[in-house]
């Protein structure tokens, strides 16, 4: 009887444990892990099928599982830094526990792995973009003219601009994209706000990432822009935006917005405009707050 009670309690405790699985999302990373003898899978498709089966089983048993992006190069560096044998399941477990705290993760919500994988990769790109932009902002240091921290001042200005953009946007769902052209690549951040009847509030993480990229563009006076698309039932979608200019935003004309959306990026050829979409000039963002500190 005591033995049965112990097993029942252990099963109950298993349901209280949150787990994380480090996922090899592509064939290249999978091949990199095959150099370890203790990694027993030899086919990526089979590996993904087994992972999906495990995730479903845990979900049916009431367990919560987080999926993390497993990077073989970062794993090798982790093992070298910690003095661990990389050809060991326990080392992979320790690395997975680490990336569960610091890396891109998503909760398994029952969707097919084919849909979860792109979302996980997108999450990794978002986090990398934010970390890179944050690092560049921090490196700007203080203004030689006024002594103000350039990155902090730019973030404050970007936050104020975002609030004014959202306050002046028409009701409905809002989708914002900010792009900043730089070396070695263009940084892009997106912000989605769903109108559910109450006061719409952006996701805090998305808003932080978006504001950081916008701040970097303002602080470095880099080429870039910000576009917003609003959608509401019974009305055409509205698309408008701004280009970054002189530590601020300059409105795009309706024609410029139309050209941006109706030109193929690679070929330069014209493409048909979407139906039920108005390409228009942005609303007036109103008076700016009194300038304080670094604003030049």
């Amino acid at each position: 009887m005591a033995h049965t009670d112990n097993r029942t309690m252990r099963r109950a405790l298993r349901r209280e444990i949150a787990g994380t699985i480090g996922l090899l999302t592509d064939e290249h990373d999978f091949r990199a892990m095959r150099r370890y003898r203790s990694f027993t899978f030899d086919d990526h498709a089979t590996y993904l099928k087994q992972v999906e089966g495990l995730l479903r089983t845990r979900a049916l048993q009431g367990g919560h599982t987080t999926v993390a992006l497993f990077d073989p190069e970062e794993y090798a560096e982790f093992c070298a830094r910690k003095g661990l044998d990389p050809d060991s399941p326990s080392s992979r477990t320790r690395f997975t526990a680490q990336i569960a705290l610091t890396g891109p993760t998503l909760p398994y919500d029952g969707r097919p792995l084919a849909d979860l994988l792109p979302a996980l990769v997108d999450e990794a790109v978002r986090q990398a973009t934010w970390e890179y932009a944050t690092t560049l902002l921090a490196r700007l240091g203080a203004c030689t003219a006024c002594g103000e921290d350039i990155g902090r001042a730019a973030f404050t200005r970007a936050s104020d601009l975002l609030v004014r953009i959202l306050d002046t946007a028409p009701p409905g769902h809002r989708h914002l994209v900010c792009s900043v052209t730089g070396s070695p690549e263009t940084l892009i951040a997106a912000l989605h706000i769903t109108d559910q009847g109450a006061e719409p509030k952006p996701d805090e993480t998305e808003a932080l990432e978006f504001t950081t990229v916008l701040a970097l563009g303002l602080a470095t006076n880099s080429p870039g822009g910000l576009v917003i698309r609003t959608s509401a039932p019974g009305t055409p979608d509205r698309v408008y935006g701004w280009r970054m200019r002189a530590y601020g935003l300059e409105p795009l004309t309706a024609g410029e917005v139309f050209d941006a959306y109706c030109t193929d990026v690679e070929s330069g050829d014209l493409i048909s405009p979407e139906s039920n979409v108005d390409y228009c000039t942005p609303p007036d963002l109103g008076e700016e707050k009194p300038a304080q500190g670094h604003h030049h």
Side-chain angles (χ1 to χ4, degrees):
M1 184 67 176
H3 179 67
T4 302
D5 288 343
N6 286 336
R7 285 192 304 179
T8 301
M9 285 188 288
R10 281 196 294 268
R11 281 197 298 268
L13 284 172
R14 282 195 205 100
R15 292 194 292 269
E16 302 293 327
I17 298 173
T20 302
I21 183 168
L23 192 60
L24 298 161
T25 58
D26 60 44
E27 186 74 40
H28 177 268
D29 288 346
F30 182 82
R31 286 199 302 269
M33 291 302 296
R34 288 198 61 204
R35 68 176 180 266
Y36 302 121
R37 294 181 61 185
S38 60
F39 185 77
T40 57
F41 290 96
D42 55 14
D43 177 76
H44 190 229
T46 301
Y47 161 81
L48 291 178
K49 184 177 180 180
Q50 293 297 322
V51 169
E52 186 160 24
L54 174 62
L55 291 171
R56 287 177 175 171
T57 299
R58 283 182 55 83
L60 289 172
Q61 293 173 345
H64 175 82
T65 309
T66 299
V67 181
L69 198 65
F70 195 105
D71 186 303
E73 291 186 9
E74 291 182 4
Y75 171 64
E77 293 171 0
F78 172 83
C79 290
R81 191 168 61 249
K82 298 290 186 178
L84 301 174
D85 176 13
D87 197 357
S88 168
S90 63
S91 298
R92 291 193 288 275
T93 301
R94 289 184 60 175
F95 176 67
T96 299
Q98 175 69 25
I99 59 178
L101 296 174
T102 61
T105 61
L106 285 177
Y108 176 68
D109 54 10
R111 78 181 100 169
L113 208 54
D115 296 333
L116 188 65
L117 288 181
L120 183 60
V121 172
D122 287 346
E123 183 68 20
V125 171
R126 279 179 49 194
Q127 182 169 320
T129 297
W130 173 72
E131 290 176 350
Y132 181 63
T134 300
T135 299
L136 293 184
L137 277 177
R139 288 177 179 173
L140 294 176
C143 174
T144 55
C146 67
E148 182 81 8
D149 185 287
I150 297 173
R152 185 178 297 112
F155 188 88
T156 299
R157 176 159 172 73
S159 299
D160 178 57
L161 284 170
L162 179 58
V163 169
R164 288 156 55 202
I165 288 170
L166 295 178
D167 284 347
T168 56
H173 304 307
R174 296 103 182 257
H175 177 66
L176 296 82
V177 176
C178 178
S179 61
V180 175
T181 303
S183 178
E185 59 186 346
T186 297
L187 298 182
I188 298 176
L191 180 62
H192 312 265
I193 303 175
T194 302
D195 187 353
Q196 297 178 329
E199 182 70 21
K201 293 184 179 180
D203 176 84
E204 290 185 3
T205 301
E206 274 195 7
L208 175 62
E209 294 164 351
F210 189 92
T211 305
T212 303
V213 172
L214 175 58
L216 180 64
L218 296 175
T220 58
N221 199 23
S222 299
L226 191 159
V227 176
I228 178 172
R229 179 171 184 152
T230 64
S231 306
T235 62
D237 287 5
R238 296 186 65 190
V239 180
Y240 53 87
W242 300 262
R243 66 170 58 86
M244 294 184 190
R245 282 287 187 275
Y247 203 59
L249 296 176
E250 177 183 286
L252 295 171
T253 66
E256 289 172 325
V257 177
F258 179 88
D259 289 343
Y261 269 77
C262 301
T263 303
D264 185 275
V265 176
E266 295 184 358
S267 67
D269 296 334
L270 292 176
I271 56 179
S272 299
E274 295 182 67
S275 60
N276 204 36
V277 174
D278 287 343
Y279 304 94
C280 48
T281 56
D284 185 355
L285 295 181
E287 293 292 329
E288 293 192 48
K289 294 178 180 179
Q292 297 179 352
H294 179 89
H295 59 277
H296 41 271

